Amino acid sequence: MLPVQKPKATFQTLEDIQLRKDLLLEQLQTDNGKFGTKWNQLFVPKEGSTKAEFIGGILANSLTIIDTVLLVRKLYKNYGSIFGLAKKKKK
C-alpha cells in the first residue's frame, strides 16, 4: 500500500483546496512518469546472452514447470474430493 500523507493544515478557502489539488496532480504526474520508466525497463530484451545462459534459462523454466505439475498433482490427490473433482470409488 502506498503511503498517504495527511495535510498538516486545515483548508480555509476554496483557493487553498484548489492549490492543494494542483500540487497533488503535479506530484501524481511525476510519480506516473517514474513508474512508467520502471515498467518499461522490465520488458527490455536481454542482449548478448550466451548458449549457457539460454540453456540455464530453459532448465530453470523446466524445473519450475515440473515442480508446479507435481504440486498440482499432490493437491488434487489430497484435496480433490473437497471440490468434487476426485473420481468416485467403485463399490
Side-chain angles (χ1 to χ4, degrees):
M1 181 172 232
L2 294 174
V4 177
Q5 297 176 352
K6 294 182 181 179
K8 296 176 182 165
T10 58
F11 302 109
Q12 301 296 329
T13 63
L14 289 175
E15 289 81 19
D16 294 339
I17 295 172
Q18 185 64 37
L19 180 63
R20 177 71 177 155
K21 180 182 170 187
D22 292 339
L23 290 172
L24 288 175
L25 180 62
E26 183 180 322
Q27 186 180 14
L28 281 173
Q29 289 174 345
T30 56
D31 289 346
N32 189 25
K34 290 178 186 176
F35 286 125
T37 55
K38 294 284 186 189
W39 181 258
N40 290 335
Q41 288 174 355
L42 287 175
F43 300 106
V44 174
K46 296 179 182 175
E47 296 181 17
S49 61
T50 63
K51 278 191 172 185
E53 291 173 345
F54 178 72
I55 293 172
I58 289 176
L59 286 175
N61 290 338
S62 300
L63 290 174
T64 303
I65 291 170
I66 291 170
D67 187 41
T68 304
V69 168
L70 292 174
L71 175 67
V72 169
R73 181 177 168 261
K74 182 179 179 180
L75 291 173
Y76 176 74
K77 181 180 175 185
N78 291 335
Y79 302 109
S81 61
I82 294 174
F83 303 107
L85 300 173
K87 297 178 183 177
K88 295 182 179 178
K89 294 182 181 178
K90 294 182 181 180
K91 294 183 180 181

